[in-house]
Amino acid sequence: MIAKIGRSSNLYGALAYNNLKVEKENGQILFANKIIETPSGHYSVAQLAQSFEPYLIANRNTEKHTLHISLNPDPKDKVSDEKFRELAEQYMREMGYGEQPFVVFKHTDIDRSHIHIVSVCVNEEGKKISDKFEKRRSMNVCRELERKYHLIPATDKERQKNDKIFHPVDYKAGDIKSQIASVIRHLPKYYQFQTLGEYNALLSLFHITTEKVQGELQGKFQQGLLYFALNDKGEKVSHPFKASLFGKDAGISALELHFEKSKETLKIHPTKQTKIHPTKQTLKSAVTMALQSTSDEQTFKKQLAEQGINVIVRKNDAGRIYGMTFIDHNSKTVWNGSRLGKEFSANIFNDYWNNNIKPEFKETNQPQQKISQSNDEENLPSKKPHQLFDFLNTDKHEDGLIEALGGLLPEAQGEDYEELDFANKMKKKRKHKRGQ
């Protein structure tokens, strides 16, 4: 069983997101601990939130007070509702949240049986419950629950998956240099990118950016790279680090060689069926389908994220889109929109999303291509292009995704785009009401 613990400052959004599943008959409340009962046994979001209010009022200093936990048994496990209740109760008790108010939701909109738990990490006295060694403790509790309830145990490979994830830099945690080093020393070994801009798009997933600096020193022209840590808004939050601090592979000379090698690898690859490299063709098909079936940026990103593709959108202060980059974790390639095809340029997306000018799509009957694989991925099972996942709705967490992609994925990819989209819509509604 895999447990994922998310933290946020949006209790209402987490409750509303899960309760919406119940209202649409895609979920149910299995258990409620220390939640004020209703005569009918049914709950509105406001009724659920009421039970948490005293805890949040008692502590206004903890920013990320809301816990959103998912417990995911092996897909082959047949877990009854009663067993899920017991699992949730024991998990929360062992993790130190047994005396907290919490609600256990079961999601039934996908085949894989799993539950979500919403709670808060501040107690009724206003004290924050310790999260020290939380990841390790959670793994130990999961192993204990597997034994007790005869669940299929997560293998050693699965338990080590999080160690294979390149974690985004957390500038508040300190030792920024080491955090940046752990990412940039390895990314070029796995991903193909052809320009500094594409490299920066990939780095942005890990809250890192780099800039080229050049000038004359003692009569000789010199150039190099500086690396910076970023916050969640993409703003620089650290002093610059010279590339030389991270070894020669992080410098401009090594990267330029990598650009040329990537261009050679991804150049036009003529076959009888197509003159486009199969990796590029597969990605173009996925992006085209997403464009045809969505009408806004958030839904577009969500649909591609479900297929292991990140979309980096660059905008100016006025909101105009001036850059689009696609990061395909299936083939481990990075493509600027214009390089992928003129129909995927920034102007096309800006006209569509900002000016409601829908792009025209050419009718194509391209044969399906298999995902191209690097030498490191030859032993992965063959899969249809961009159909790697059996959880294409709300649970796009890194456990299943890493298994499909061979163990390398930025932790940021685990964001739940459906939940983020829902939370954003709620924010817009509240702003609209305040403006009336």
Side-chain angles (χ1 to χ4, degrees):
M1 182 174 74
I2 303 293
K4 294 295 173 183
I5 304 175
R7 294 174 181 273
S8 75
S9 58
N10 190 356
L11 171 68
Y12 191 88
L15 290 171
Y17 168 73
N18 283 281
N19 207 50
L20 187 62
K21 301 282 186 183
V22 178
E23 292 175 356
K24 290 186 175 182
E25 299 183 350
N26 288 323
Q28 63 183 109
I29 294 178
L30 289 185
F31 180 73
N33 188 66
K34 289 196 171 183
I35 299 296
I36 302 170
E37 295 183 4
T38 63
S40 65
H42 297 286
Y43 293 90
S44 66
V45 176
Q47 287 169 326
L48 290 171
Q50 187 178 354
S51 300
F52 296 92
E53 287 177 2
Y55 294 77
L56 301 184
I57 291 172
N59 182 327
R60 298 183 181 275
N61 297 322
T62 301
E63 182 181 355
K64 294 187 177 182
H65 46 63
T66 297
L67 295 170
H68 195 172
I69 301 167
S70 68
L71 297 183
N72 306 274
D74 189 281
K76 297 178 182 178
D77 281 318
K78 303 299 180 184
V79 184
S80 66
D81 290 351
E82 183 58 36
K83 187 179 284 189
F84 263 133
R85 293 186 191 99
E86 294 174 7
L87 283 170
E89 282 189 272
Q90 183 169 342
Y91 180 86
M92 294 297 280
R93 185 168 63 252
E94 297 285 347
M95 292 298 293
Y97 302 112
E99 296 303 314
Q100 295 293 99
F102 61 85
V103 189
V104 181
F105 298 88
K106 179 182 178 182
H107 288 192
T108 57
D109 50 357
I110 57 175
D111 293 335
R112 184 170 53 85
S113 186
H114 66 290
I115 57 175
H116 286 232
I117 307 171
V118 178
S119 186
V120 289
C121 61
V122 292
N123 64 24
E124 56 189 346
E125 296 177 355
K127 295 181 180 178
K128 182 179 180 295
I129 297 171
S130 175
D131 59 358
K132 286 185 178 179
F133 308 109
E134 186 175 73
K135 180 179 175 182
R136 186 187 306 171
R137 289 190 291 116
S138 178
M139 291 175 67
N140 290 337
V141 173
C142 286
R143 304 294 80 78
E144 181 183 343
L145 292 174
E146 287 169 352
R147 289 189 293 268
K148 181 176 178 179
Y149 294 99
H150 309 291
L151 302 176
I152 297 173
T155 64
D156 289 337
K157 181 180 178 180
E158 287 172 325
R159 291 199 291 267
Q160 292 168 3
K161 279 173 186 172
N162 282 342
D163 294 332
K164 295 182 181 181
I165 304 171
F166 295 151
H167 294 278
V169 170
D170 179 3
Y171 71 95
K172 295 179 181 178
D175 200 10
I176 295 175
K177 177 186 170 184
S178 295
Q179 291 189 67
I180 294 177
S182 68
V183 175
I184 65 174
R185 285 175 178 169
H186 301 291
L187 279 186
K189 297 177 184 177
Y190 296 94
Y191 283 80
Q192 294 173 336
F193 39 86
Q194 304 176 54
T195 65
L196 192 64
E198 291 176 355
Y199 180 47
N200 255 329
L202 183 59
L203 288 176
S204 71
L205 298 182
F206 307 93
H207 298 171
I208 302 171
T209 192
T210 186
E211 291 181 0
K212 184 186 287 188
V213 291
Q214 56 190 31
E216 237 182 61
L217 181 63
Q218 296 179 345
K220 291 184 178 181
F221 178 76
Q222 303 283 340
Q223 65 177 359
L225 291 179
L226 297 176
Y227 287 87
F228 301 82
L230 304 175
N231 61 18
D232 292 338
K233 298 178 181 179
E235 301 165 336
K236 295 175 186 175
V237 288
S238 75
H239 66 266
F241 295 90
K242 291 182 179 179
S244 57
L245 295 172
F246 306 112
K248 62 180 182 180
D249 290 342
I252 187 65
S253 297
L255 283 172
E256 286 177 345
L257 288 175
H258 184 80
F259 298 158
E260 292 304 314
K261 185 178 179 181
S262 296
K263 286 176 185 177
E264 183 67 23
T265 302
L266 298 172
K267 70 179 180 180
I268 292 177
H269 182 73
T271 66
K272 291 182 179 179
Q273 291 80 21
T274 177
K275 291 185 178 181
I276 301 177
H277 192 283
T279 292
K280 185 176 183 179
Q281 182 59 53
T282 301
L283 180 58
K284 287 183 70 171
S285 297
V287 175
T288 298
M289 285 190 290
L291 257 176
Q292 289 174 325
S293 58
T294 65
S295 58
D296 60 86
E297 178 182 340
Q298 196 66 40
T299 310
F300 177 79
K301 285 182 174 180
K302 170 184 174 291
Q303 182 165 316
L304 288 177
E306 290 169 350
Q307 301 173 64
I309 302 166
N310 275 127
V311 183
I312 306 300
V313 182
R314 295 179 297 284
K315 303 177 183 178
N316 63 20
D317 292 340
R320 177 177 175 79
I321 297 171
Y322 66 86
M324 295 288 298
T325 306
F326 300 91
I327 301 170
D328 184 359
H329 298 288
N330 305 286
S331 60
K332 295 183 173 60
T333 57
V334 186
W335 299 84
N336 175 268
S338 297
R339 188 189 302 280
L340 191 61
K342 61 182 181 181
E343 67 269 36
F344 306 117
S345 69
N347 285 338
I348 296 294
F349 287 92
N350 184 72
D351 286 343
Y352 190 23
W353 293 337
N354 288 340
N355 302 322
N356 202 29
I357 303 174
K358 191 168 185 176
E360 295 182 4
F361 302 101
K362 294 180 180 179
E363 293 294 329
T364 57
N365 294 309
Q366 294 289 350
Q368 279 197 330
Q369 302 284 345
K370 287 185 178 180
I371 294 174
S372 62
Q373 295 174 324
S374 67
N375 292 334
D376 293 336
E377 298 172 292
E378 288 176 353
N379 295 324
L380 282 176
S382 177
K383 297 179 182 291
K384 291 182 180 179
H386 300 291
Q387 293 177 352
L388 295 170
F389 319 112
D390 60 356
F391 45 96
L392 297 185
N393 204 301
T394 63
D395 289 82
K396 299 170 286 297
H397 297 296
E398 55 263 41
D399 46 82
L401 199 51
I402 290 170
E403 183 176 2
L405 304 185
L408 176 68
L409 190 76
E411 188 177 53
Q413 178 71 12
E415 289 180 334
D416 190 325
Y417 281 85
E418 184 176 343
E419 184 174 348
L420 289 174
D421 187 38
F422 183 84
N424 288 334
K425 287 178 180 176
M426 296 302 296
K427 287 180 181 177
K428 288 179 181 178
K429 284 184 179 180
R430 289 197 293 273
K431 286 181 179 179
H432 179 69
K433 286 181 179 179
R434 286 199 295 268
Q436 289 179 340

